[in-house]
Amino acid sequence: MEIALIGLSGSGKTTLFDALTGASRKGEPSPGSVGQGRVGVTKIPDARLDALAAIFSPKKVTPAEITYWDTPSTVTGGGIEGRVLNLLQQADAFIHVVRAFDNPAAPHPSGSVDPMRDVKAMASELALADMVILEGRLQRVADGMKGARGRDRDLLLREQTLLHRVQQALEEGRPIAYQSLTGEESNLLSNYNLLTAKPTLAAYNIGEEGLPGGEGFLPASRERAGQGGLKEVVLCGKLEWELAQLPPEGQQEFREALGVTEPGVDLLIKESLSLLRMVAFFTFVSEEARGWTVPQDAPAPAAAGKIHSDMERGFIRAEVVSFDDMVACGSIAEARRRGALRSEGKGYRVQDGDVITFLFRAPR
């Protein structure tokens, strides 16, 4: 999973990226680079993995991971520069960091803090980039139809009709992610890596004076931004960055003093998984308890392939027990004795919290 943090200049995007990835902690390795941005890997906090570690007593515990990119800031009305566009097209989803804090020492580039204006401005920049791509493809389709016959011409005509419909909806302010498309149409559009087709989460970056209770900002934001389907969270990037400098016990004391119950970075990671419709499953192999993520409804062989491609190719079956049953039974042997351990085949769809042992034929 690779999620790009996007935002206008001064939004606090890089501060939040540093807090998410630990880039600001002393002794931590610096994030790598991708294109013109930075990349960092974040471990996904999951109390269920800790509970399983208490049962299995492994020598090693490895959480699942998610990758975030810190991309160059977007300039309103300037269009998205080519190399940055290529970078954004590679991302699975976006987190739009929206400035919702006042800081006289760092004035907003537009002269005032207006989160809803910034949400609309970013949506317009993404839509404009898509319009350029669509116009180029429509021209190529028109050229191709001049000499096309039979089925080839019919396919090009269907594509042309779809692209015109999508283009019109974009002009009306509807991102592709919110348009009504069939599975076939979505698959066709996926070839173009259109930006507004990617799921987007708005992260409203408020000041510390807005804590706790910043969530009260959300209801009005949806209506004013005209983005009814937009997923949103509220957090304070500056606070999360400051807390990232402290040891875990110090972080907890600080949060309790502020009345903040859930770490903002944990909330953002959780919403990232929801944004991409991912579920978690767990394995215990070679004295390592490990978390993994797969798309919702992923078949068991695909989940095995997350561990190693040989396991997917040689998949035989999966032995599965739910997290709740695993905790209730206390061991794999007891889960088997109670009938909580199930044997599932290739058609099984992995469920969130499954504890799985994959059986497979090793390649010769």
Short mmCIF file of all heavy atoms in Angstrom, two decimals, residues 91-157:
data_model
loop_
_atom_site.label_atom_id
_atom_site.label_comp_id
_atom_site.label_asym_id
_atom_site.label_seq_id
_atom_site.Cartn_x
_atom_site.Cartn_y
_atom_site.Cartn_z
N ALA A 91 0.63 6.24 -6.96
CA ALA A 91 0.07 6.03 -5.62
C ALA A 91 -1.23 5.26 -5.68
O ALA A 91 -1.97 5.32 -6.68
CB ALA A 91 -0.15 7.38 -4.94
N ASP A 92 -1.54 4.54 -4.60
CA ASP A 92 -2.81 3.82 -4.51
C ASP A 92 -3.93 4.72 -4.03
O ASP A 92 -5.10 4.47 -4.31
CB ASP A 92 -2.67 2.63 -3.55
CG ASP A 92 -1.67 1.60 -4.04
OD1 ASP A 92 -1.74 1.24 -5.23
OD2 ASP A 92 -0.81 1.17 -3.25
N ALA A 93 -3.58 5.75 -3.26
CA ALA A 93 -4.57 6.65 -2.69
C ALA A 93 -3.88 7.93 -2.26
O ALA A 93 -2.65 8.02 -2.24
CB ALA A 93 -5.28 5.99 -1.51
N PHE A 94 -4.69 8.94 -1.90
CA PHE A 94 -4.15 10.23 -1.46
C PHE A 94 -4.66 10.58 -0.07
O PHE A 94 -5.81 10.29 0.28
CB PHE A 94 -4.56 11.36 -2.40
CG PHE A 94 -4.10 11.20 -3.82
CD1 PHE A 94 -4.95 11.49 -4.87
CD2 PHE A 94 -2.82 10.77 -4.11
CE1 PHE A 94 -4.54 11.36 -6.19
CE2 PHE A 94 -2.39 10.62 -5.42
CZ PHE A 94 -3.25 10.91 -6.46
N ILE A 95 -3.81 11.21 0.72
CA ILE A 95 -4.25 11.92 1.92
C ILE A 95 -3.99 13.39 1.65
O ILE A 95 -2.83 13.81 1.50
CB ILE A 95 -3.50 11.46 3.17
CG1 ILE A 95 -3.87 10.02 3.52
CG2 ILE A 95 -3.83 12.37 4.36
CD1 ILE A 95 -3.14 9.46 4.73
N HIS A 96 -5.05 14.16 1.56
CA HIS A 96 -4.93 15.60 1.33
C HIS A 96 -4.85 16.28 2.68
O HIS A 96 -5.84 16.34 3.41
CB HIS A 96 -6.13 16.11 0.52
CG HIS A 96 -6.10 17.59 0.30
ND1 HIS A 96 -7.23 18.31 -0.05
CD2 HIS A 96 -5.09 18.51 0.41
CE1 HIS A 96 -6.91 19.58 -0.16
NE2 HIS A 96 -5.62 19.73 0.12
N VAL A 97 -3.67 16.79 3.02
CA VAL A 97 -3.49 17.51 4.28
C VAL A 97 -3.97 18.94 4.07
O VAL A 97 -3.42 19.68 3.23
CB VAL A 97 -2.01 17.48 4.72
CG1 VAL A 97 -1.86 18.20 6.07
CG2 VAL A 97 -1.52 16.04 4.84
N VAL A 98 -5.00 19.32 4.83
CA VAL A 98 -5.66 20.61 4.64
C VAL A 98 -5.37 21.51 5.84
O VAL A 98 -5.61 21.12 6.99
CB VAL A 98 -7.18 20.43 4.49
CG1 VAL A 98 -7.85 21.77 4.16
CG2 VAL A 98 -7.50 19.40 3.41
N ARG A 99 -4.85 22.67 5.59
CA ARG A 99 -4.54 23.59 6.68
C ARG A 99 -5.81 24.13 7.32
O ARG A 99 -6.66 24.71 6.65
CB ARG A 99 -3.68 24.75 6.18
CG ARG A 99 -3.31 25.75 7.27
CD ARG A 99 -2.24 26.71 6.80
NE ARG A 99 -1.97 27.74 7.80
CZ ARG A 99 -0.95 28.60 7.74
NH1 ARG A 99 -0.11 28.55 6.71
NH2 ARG A 99 -0.78 29.51 8.68
N ALA A 100 -5.90 23.95 8.65
CA ALA A 100 -7.04 24.47 9.41
C ALA A 100 -6.54 25.13 10.69
O ALA A 100 -7.23 25.17 11.69
CB ALA A 100 -8.02 23.35 9.73
N PHE A 101 -5.31 25.63 10.66
CA PHE A 101 -4.72 26.29 11.83
C PHE A 101 -4.21 27.67 11.43
O PHE A 101 -3.88 27.92 10.26
CB PHE A 101 -3.55 25.46 12.38
CG PHE A 101 -2.40 25.29 11.42
CD1 PHE A 101 -1.36 26.22 11.37
CD2 PHE A 101 -2.34 24.19 10.56
CE1 PHE A 101 -0.30 26.07 10.48
CE2 PHE A 101 -1.28 24.03 9.67
CZ PHE A 101 -0.27 24.98 9.63
N ASP A 102 -4.15 28.57 12.40
CA ASP A 102 -3.61 29.91 12.19
C ASP A 102 -2.17 29.96 12.69
O ASP A 102 -1.85 29.40 13.74
CB ASP A 102 -4.44 30.95 12.93
CG ASP A 102 -5.81 31.16 12.29
OD1 ASP A 102 -5.86 31.37 11.06
OD2 ASP A 102 -6.81 31.12 13.03
N ASN A 103 -1.33 30.61 11.93
CA ASN A 103 0.06 30.82 12.34
C ASN A 103 0.56 32.09 11.66
O ASN A 103 1.00 32.06 10.50
CB ASN A 103 0.93 29.62 11.95
CG ASN A 103 2.37 29.78 12.43
OD1 ASN A 103 2.73 30.80 13.03
ND2 ASN A 103 3.19 28.79 12.15
N PRO A 104 0.49 33.24 12.37
CA PRO A 104 0.91 34.50 11.76
C PRO A 104 2.34 34.47 11.25
O PRO A 104 2.69 35.19 10.31
CB PRO A 104 0.75 35.50 12.92
CG PRO A 104 -0.27 34.87 13.83
CD PRO A 104 -0.02 33.40 13.74
N ALA A 105 3.19 33.61 11.85
CA ALA A 105 4.58 33.54 11.42
C ALA A 105 4.73 32.84 10.07
O ALA A 105 5.76 32.97 9.41
CB ALA A 105 5.41 32.80 12.47
N ALA A 106 3.70 32.10 9.68
CA ALA A 106 3.73 31.40 8.39
C ALA A 106 2.39 31.64 7.70
O ALA A 106 1.50 30.79 7.74
CB ALA A 106 3.97 29.91 8.58
N PRO A 107 2.21 32.81 7.09
CA PRO A 107 0.92 33.16 6.46
C PRO A 107 0.53 32.15 5.39
O PRO A 107 1.38 31.56 4.71
CB PRO A 107 1.18 34.54 5.84
CG PRO A 107 2.38 35.07 6.57
CD PRO A 107 3.21 33.88 6.92
N HIS A 108 -0.77 31.95 5.24
CA HIS A 108 -1.27 31.07 4.19
C HIS A 108 -0.96 31.72 2.83
O HIS A 108 -1.12 32.93 2.66
CB HIS A 108 -2.78 30.88 4.34
CG HIS A 108 -3.35 29.79 3.51
ND1 HIS A 108 -3.43 29.86 2.13
CD2 HIS A 108 -3.85 28.56 3.85
CE1 HIS A 108 -3.97 28.76 1.66
NE2 HIS A 108 -4.23 27.94 2.68
N PRO A 109 -0.51 30.93 1.85
CA PRO A 109 -0.15 31.52 0.55
C PRO A 109 -1.32 32.21 -0.14
O PRO A 109 -1.10 33.09 -0.99
CB PRO A 109 0.34 30.31 -0.26
CG PRO A 109 -0.13 29.10 0.48
CD PRO A 109 -0.20 29.49 1.91
N SER A 110 -2.55 31.85 0.23
CA SER A 110 -3.72 32.51 -0.37
C SER A 110 -4.20 33.69 0.45
O SER A 110 -5.21 34.31 0.12
CB SER A 110 -4.86 31.49 -0.54
OG SER A 110 -4.49 30.48 -1.44
N GLY A 111 -3.48 34.00 1.54
CA GLY A 111 -3.81 35.18 2.33
C GLY A 111 -4.69 34.94 3.53
O GLY A 111 -4.79 35.79 4.40
N SER A 112 -5.36 33.80 3.58
CA SER A 112 -6.24 33.50 4.71
C SER A 112 -6.41 31.99 4.82
O SER A 112 -6.21 31.27 3.85
CB SER A 112 -7.62 34.15 4.53
OG SER A 112 -8.28 33.63 3.38
N VAL A 113 -6.77 31.53 6.02
CA VAL A 113 -7.00 30.11 6.25
C VAL A 113 -8.46 29.80 5.94
O VAL A 113 -9.37 30.33 6.57
CB VAL A 113 -6.67 29.72 7.70
CG1 VAL A 113 -7.03 28.25 7.95
CG2 VAL A 113 -5.20 29.95 7.99
N ASP A 114 -8.68 28.98 4.94
CA ASP A 114 -10.02 28.59 4.52
C ASP A 114 -9.96 27.15 4.04
O ASP A 114 -9.71 26.88 2.86
CB ASP A 114 -10.52 29.51 3.41
CG ASP A 114 -11.98 29.25 3.06
OD1 ASP A 114 -12.49 28.15 3.37
OD2 ASP A 114 -12.61 30.14 2.46
N PRO A 115 -10.17 26.19 4.95
CA PRO A 115 -10.02 24.77 4.58
C PRO A 115 -10.89 24.35 3.41
O PRO A 115 -10.46 23.59 2.55
CB PRO A 115 -10.41 24.03 5.87
CG PRO A 115 -10.13 25.01 6.96
CD PRO A 115 -10.47 26.34 6.38
N MET A 116 -12.12 24.84 3.35
CA MET A 116 -13.02 24.40 2.29
C MET A 116 -12.56 24.92 0.93
O MET A 116 -12.67 24.24 -0.08
CB MET A 116 -14.45 24.87 2.57
CG MET A 116 -15.02 24.34 3.89
SD MET A 116 -14.79 22.57 4.08
CE MET A 116 -13.48 22.55 5.32
N ARG A 117 -12.04 26.13 0.92
CA ARG A 117 -11.49 26.66 -0.33
C ARG A 117 -10.33 25.80 -0.80
O ARG A 117 -10.20 25.49 -1.99
CB ARG A 117 -11.01 28.10 -0.10
CG ARG A 117 -10.31 28.74 -1.31
CD ARG A 117 -9.43 29.91 -0.87
NE ARG A 117 -8.38 29.46 0.05
CZ ARG A 117 -7.89 30.22 1.04
NH1 ARG A 117 -8.33 31.44 1.23
NH2 ARG A 117 -6.94 29.73 1.83
N ASP A 118 -9.48 25.36 0.15
CA ASP A 118 -8.32 24.56 -0.21
C ASP A 118 -8.72 23.16 -0.69
O ASP A 118 -8.08 22.60 -1.58
CB ASP A 118 -7.36 24.45 0.98
CG ASP A 118 -6.72 25.79 1.32
OD1 ASP A 118 -6.86 26.74 0.52
OD2 ASP A 118 -6.07 25.89 2.39
N VAL A 119 -9.77 22.59 -0.09
CA VAL A 119 -10.27 21.29 -0.55
C VAL A 119 -10.72 21.40 -2.00
O VAL A 119 -10.40 20.56 -2.84
CB VAL A 119 -11.42 20.79 0.35
CG1 VAL A 119 -12.13 19.60 -0.30
CG2 VAL A 119 -10.89 20.39 1.71
N LYS A 120 -11.47 22.45 -2.29
CA LYS A 120 -11.96 22.64 -3.66
C LYS A 120 -10.81 22.92 -4.62
O LYS A 120 -10.81 22.44 -5.76
CB LYS A 120 -12.95 23.80 -3.68
CG LYS A 120 -14.25 23.52 -2.94
CD LYS A 120 -15.17 24.74 -2.98
CE LYS A 120 -16.48 24.49 -2.24
NZ LYS A 120 -17.36 25.68 -2.24
N ALA A 121 -9.83 23.69 -4.17
CA ALA A 121 -8.70 24.02 -5.03
C ALA A 121 -7.91 22.77 -5.41
O ALA A 121 -7.52 22.58 -6.57
CB ALA A 121 -7.78 25.03 -4.33
N MET A 122 -7.67 21.89 -4.43
CA MET A 122 -6.94 20.66 -4.73
C MET A 122 -7.75 19.76 -5.65
O MET A 122 -7.21 19.16 -6.58
CB MET A 122 -6.61 19.92 -3.44
CG MET A 122 -5.83 18.62 -3.64
SD MET A 122 -4.24 18.85 -4.46
CE MET A 122 -3.29 19.54 -3.10
N ALA A 123 -9.06 19.68 -5.40
CA ALA A 123 -9.92 18.87 -6.27
C ALA A 123 -9.86 19.38 -7.71
O ALA A 123 -9.83 18.60 -8.66
CB ALA A 123 -11.36 18.89 -5.75
N SER A 124 -9.80 20.70 -7.86
CA SER A 124 -9.73 21.29 -9.20
C SER A 124 -8.42 20.96 -9.88
O SER A 124 -8.38 20.68 -11.09
CB SER A 124 -9.91 22.81 -9.11
OG SER A 124 -11.20 23.15 -8.63
N GLU A 125 -7.32 20.99 -9.12
CA GLU A 125 -6.01 20.68 -9.70
C GLU A 125 -5.95 19.22 -10.16
O GLU A 125 -5.43 18.91 -11.24
CB GLU A 125 -4.89 20.95 -8.68
CG GLU A 125 -4.71 22.41 -8.33
CD GLU A 125 -4.27 23.27 -9.50
OE1 GLU A 125 -3.65 22.72 -10.45
OE2 GLU A 125 -4.55 24.48 -9.49
N LEU A 126 -6.47 18.31 -9.35
CA LEU A 126 -6.48 16.90 -9.72
C LEU A 126 -7.38 16.67 -10.94
O LEU A 126 -7.02 15.92 -11.86
CB LEU A 126 -6.96 16.04 -8.55
CG LEU A 126 -6.10 16.07 -7.28
CD1 LEU A 126 -6.75 15.21 -6.19
CD2 LEU A 126 -4.69 15.60 -7.55
N ALA A 127 -8.53 17.33 -10.95
CA ALA A 127 -9.46 17.18 -12.07
C ALA A 127 -8.86 17.74 -13.35
O ALA A 127 -9.01 17.15 -14.44
CB ALA A 127 -10.78 17.89 -11.76
N LEU A 128 -8.15 18.86 -13.25
CA LEU A 128 -7.53 19.45 -14.43
C LEU A 128 -6.49 18.50 -15.03
O LEU A 128 -6.40 18.34 -16.25
CB LEU A 128 -6.87 20.78 -14.06
CG LEU A 128 -6.15 21.51 -15.20
CD1 LEU A 128 -7.11 21.83 -16.33
CD2 LEU A 128 -5.50 22.80 -14.67
N ALA A 129 -5.71 17.86 -14.17
CA ALA A 129 -4.72 16.90 -14.66
C ALA A 129 -5.40 15.75 -15.38
O ALA A 129 -4.92 15.28 -16.44
CB ALA A 129 -3.89 16.37 -13.49
N ASP A 130 -6.53 15.28 -14.84
CA ASP A 130 -7.27 14.20 -15.50
C ASP A 130 -7.85 14.66 -16.83
O ASP A 130 -7.89 13.88 -17.80
CB ASP A 130 -8.40 13.71 -14.58
CG ASP A 130 -7.89 12.80 -13.47
OD1 ASP A 130 -6.69 12.46 -13.48
OD2 ASP A 130 -8.70 12.43 -12.59
N MET A 131 -8.33 15.89 -16.88
CA MET A 131 -8.92 16.39 -18.13
C MET A 131 -7.89 16.40 -19.26
O MET A 131 -8.21 16.06 -20.41
CB MET A 131 -9.45 17.81 -17.90
CG MET A 131 -10.65 17.89 -16.96
SD MET A 131 -12.15 17.21 -17.70
CE MET A 131 -12.54 18.48 -18.89
N VAL A 132 -6.65 16.77 -18.93
CA VAL A 132 -5.60 16.77 -19.94
C VAL A 132 -5.35 15.36 -20.48
O VAL A 132 -5.21 15.13 -21.68
CB VAL A 132 -4.30 17.36 -19.36
CG1 VAL A 132 -3.14 17.19 -20.35
CG2 VAL A 132 -4.49 18.84 -19.01
N ILE A 133 -5.33 14.39 -19.55
CA ILE A 133 -5.12 12.99 -19.96
C ILE A 133 -6.29 12.51 -20.82
O ILE A 133 -6.09 11.86 -21.85
CB ILE A 133 -4.97 12.10 -18.72
CG1 ILE A 133 -3.68 12.46 -17.97
CG2 ILE A 133 -4.95 10.62 -19.11
CD1 ILE A 133 -3.53 11.78 -16.63
N LEU A 134 -7.52 12.83 -20.41
CA LEU A 134 -8.70 12.39 -21.15
C LEU A 134 -8.73 13.00 -22.54
O LEU A 134 -9.08 12.32 -23.53
CB LEU A 134 -9.96 12.76 -20.38
CG LEU A 134 -10.24 11.96 -19.10
CD1 LEU A 134 -11.42 12.55 -18.35
CD2 LEU A 134 -10.49 10.49 -19.42
N GLU A 135 -8.40 14.27 -22.63
CA GLU A 135 -8.41 14.93 -23.94
C GLU A 135 -7.39 14.29 -24.88
O GLU A 135 -7.67 14.09 -26.08
CB GLU A 135 -8.11 16.42 -23.76
CG GLU A 135 -9.26 17.20 -23.13
CD GLU A 135 -8.88 18.62 -22.76
OE1 GLU A 135 -7.71 19.00 -23.05
OE2 GLU A 135 -9.72 19.34 -22.19
N GLY A 136 -6.22 13.95 -24.35
CA GLY A 136 -5.21 13.29 -25.18
C GLY A 136 -5.68 11.93 -25.66
O GLY A 136 -5.49 11.56 -26.83
N ARG A 137 -6.32 11.16 -24.75
CA ARG A 137 -6.80 9.84 -25.14
C ARG A 137 -7.96 9.94 -26.12
O ARG A 137 -8.04 9.15 -27.08
CB ARG A 137 -7.25 9.06 -23.88
CG ARG A 137 -7.79 7.67 -24.18
CD ARG A 137 -6.79 6.84 -24.95
NE ARG A 137 -7.38 5.57 -25.42
CZ ARG A 137 -6.79 4.76 -26.27
NH1 ARG A 137 -5.60 5.06 -26.76
NH2 ARG A 137 -7.38 3.64 -26.66
N LEU A 138 -8.85 10.91 -25.94
CA LEU A 138 -9.97 11.08 -26.87
C LEU A 138 -9.46 11.41 -28.27
O LEU A 138 -10.03 10.94 -29.27
CB LEU A 138 -10.89 12.20 -26.37
CG LEU A 138 -11.90 11.78 -25.29
CD1 LEU A 138 -12.54 13.00 -24.64
CD2 LEU A 138 -12.98 10.88 -25.88
N GLN A 139 -8.38 12.18 -28.36
CA GLN A 139 -7.82 12.50 -29.66
C GLN A 139 -7.27 11.24 -30.33
O GLN A 139 -7.47 11.01 -31.53
CB GLN A 139 -6.72 13.55 -29.52
CG GLN A 139 -6.10 13.98 -30.84
CD GLN A 139 -7.12 14.58 -31.79
OE1 GLN A 139 -7.83 15.53 -31.44
NE2 GLN A 139 -7.22 14.02 -33.00
N ARG A 140 -6.60 10.39 -29.51
CA ARG A 140 -6.05 9.15 -30.08
C ARG A 140 -7.15 8.18 -30.49
O ARG A 140 -7.03 7.48 -31.50
CB ARG A 140 -5.11 8.49 -29.06
CG ARG A 140 -3.80 9.24 -28.86
CD ARG A 140 -2.79 8.43 -28.07
NE ARG A 140 -3.21 8.24 -26.70
CZ ARG A 140 -2.96 9.11 -25.72
NH1 ARG A 140 -2.32 10.24 -25.98
NH2 ARG A 140 -3.35 8.85 -24.49
N VAL A 141 -8.24 8.16 -29.73
CA VAL A 141 -9.38 7.30 -30.09
C VAL A 141 -10.00 7.78 -31.39
O VAL A 141 -10.32 6.98 -32.29
CB VAL A 141 -10.43 7.30 -28.96
CG1 VAL A 141 -11.73 6.64 -29.45
CG2 VAL A 141 -9.91 6.56 -27.74
N ALA A 142 -10.16 9.10 -31.52
CA ALA A 142 -10.73 9.66 -32.75
C ALA A 142 -9.85 9.33 -33.95
O ALA A 142 -10.35 8.97 -35.04
CB ALA A 142 -10.89 11.18 -32.61
N ASP A 143 -8.55 9.42 -33.77
CA ASP A 143 -7.63 9.08 -34.87
C ASP A 143 -7.73 7.59 -35.21
O ASP A 143 -7.71 7.21 -36.39
CB ASP A 143 -6.19 9.42 -34.47
CG ASP A 143 -5.95 10.92 -34.35
OD1 ASP A 143 -6.78 11.70 -34.88
OD2 ASP A 143 -4.96 11.31 -33.70
N GLY A 144 -7.86 6.75 -34.19
CA GLY A 144 -7.92 5.32 -34.42
C GLY A 144 -9.19 4.88 -35.11
O GLY A 144 -9.20 3.88 -35.85
N MET A 145 -10.28 5.62 -34.90
CA MET A 145 -11.56 5.25 -35.49
C MET A 145 -11.59 5.49 -37.01
O MET A 145 -12.42 4.90 -37.70
CB MET A 145 -12.70 6.03 -34.82
CG MET A 145 -12.99 5.58 -33.39
SD MET A 145 -14.35 6.51 -32.65
CE MET A 145 -15.73 6.03 -33.69
N LYS A 146 -10.69 6.32 -37.49
CA LYS A 146 -10.72 6.65 -38.93
C LYS A 146 -10.51 5.42 -39.80
O LYS A 146 -11.10 5.30 -40.87
CB LYS A 146 -9.66 7.71 -39.23
CG LYS A 146 -9.94 9.05 -38.58
CD LYS A 146 -8.80 10.04 -38.84
CE LYS A 146 -9.07 11.36 -38.13
NZ LYS A 146 -7.94 12.32 -38.31
N GLY A 147 -9.65 4.51 -39.35
CA GLY A 147 -9.39 3.33 -40.17
C GLY A 147 -9.89 2.05 -39.55
O GLY A 147 -9.65 0.96 -40.07
N ALA A 148 -10.63 2.15 -38.42
CA ALA A 148 -11.09 0.95 -37.71
C ALA A 148 -12.36 0.41 -38.34
O ALA A 148 -13.19 1.15 -38.88
CB ALA A 148 -11.33 1.28 -36.24
N ARG A 149 -12.52 -0.91 -38.25
CA ARG A 149 -13.69 -1.58 -38.80
C ARG A 149 -14.20 -2.62 -37.81
O ARG A 149 -13.47 -3.12 -36.95
CB ARG A 149 -13.35 -2.27 -40.12
CG ARG A 149 -12.91 -1.35 -41.25
CD ARG A 149 -14.09 -0.53 -41.78
NE ARG A 149 -13.70 0.28 -42.92
CZ ARG A 149 -13.16 1.47 -42.84
NH1 ARG A 149 -12.92 2.02 -41.64
NH2 ARG A 149 -12.82 2.15 -43.92
N GLY A 150 -15.46 -2.94 -37.93
CA GLY A 150 -16.04 -4.04 -37.18
C GLY A 150 -15.90 -3.89 -35.68
O GLY A 150 -16.20 -2.84 -35.10
N ARG A 151 -15.42 -4.97 -35.04
CA ARG A 151 -15.34 -5.01 -33.58
C ARG A 151 -14.38 -3.95 -33.03
O ARG A 151 -14.66 -3.34 -31.99
CB ARG A 151 -14.89 -6.40 -33.12
CG ARG A 151 -14.85 -6.57 -31.61
CD ARG A 151 -14.56 -8.02 -31.23
NE ARG A 151 -14.56 -8.19 -29.78
CZ ARG A 151 -13.49 -7.97 -29.01
NH1 ARG A 151 -12.35 -7.59 -29.58
NH2 ARG A 151 -13.55 -8.14 -27.70
N ASP A 152 -13.28 -3.72 -33.73
CA ASP A 152 -12.32 -2.72 -33.27
C ASP A 152 -12.97 -1.34 -33.20
O ASP A 152 -12.75 -0.58 -32.25
CB ASP A 152 -11.10 -2.67 -34.20
CG ASP A 152 -10.23 -3.90 -34.07
OD1 ASP A 152 -10.36 -4.60 -33.04
OD2 ASP A 152 -9.42 -4.17 -34.99
N ARG A 153 -13.78 -1.04 -34.21
CA ARG A 153 -14.45 0.26 -34.22
C ARG A 153 -15.48 0.34 -33.09
O ARG A 153 -15.62 1.38 -32.43
CB ARG A 153 -15.12 0.51 -35.56
CG ARG A 153 -15.80 1.87 -35.65
CD ARG A 153 -16.41 2.13 -37.02
NE ARG A 153 -17.08 3.41 -37.04
CZ ARG A 153 -16.48 4.58 -37.21
NH1 ARG A 153 -15.16 4.62 -37.39
NH2 ARG A 153 -17.17 5.70 -37.22
N ASP A 154 -16.19 -0.75 -32.85
CA ASP A 154 -17.18 -0.77 -31.77
C ASP A 154 -16.52 -0.53 -30.41
O ASP A 154 -17.06 0.21 -29.57
CB ASP A 154 -17.92 -2.11 -31.75
CG ASP A 154 -18.84 -2.28 -32.95
OD1 ASP A 154 -19.18 -1.24 -33.57
OD2 ASP A 154 -19.22 -3.42 -33.26
N LEU A 155 -15.36 -1.16 -30.19
CA LEU A 155 -14.66 -0.98 -28.91
C LEU A 155 -14.20 0.46 -28.74
O LEU A 155 -14.32 1.03 -27.64
CB LEU A 155 -13.45 -1.93 -28.85
CG LEU A 155 -13.77 -3.42 -28.71
CD1 LEU A 155 -12.49 -4.24 -28.81
CD2 LEU A 155 -14.48 -3.71 -27.39
N LEU A 156 -13.70 1.05 -29.81
CA LEU A 156 -13.25 2.44 -29.73
C LEU A 156 -14.43 3.38 -29.51
O LEU A 156 -14.32 4.36 -28.75
CB LEU A 156 -12.51 2.83 -31.02
CG LEU A 156 -11.11 2.23 -31.20
CD1 LEU A 156 -10.58 2.54 -32.59
CD2 LEU A 156 -10.16 2.77 -30.14
N LEU A 157 -15.56 3.08 -30.11
CA LEU A 157 -16.75 3.91 -29.94
C LEU A 157 -17.25 3.84 -28.50
O LEU A 157 -17.63 4.87 -27.91
CB LEU A 157 -17.85 3.44 -30.91
CG LEU A 157 -19.14 4.27 -30.88
CD1 LEU A 157 -18.85 5.72 -31.23
CD2 LEU A 157 -20.17 3.68 -31.85
#
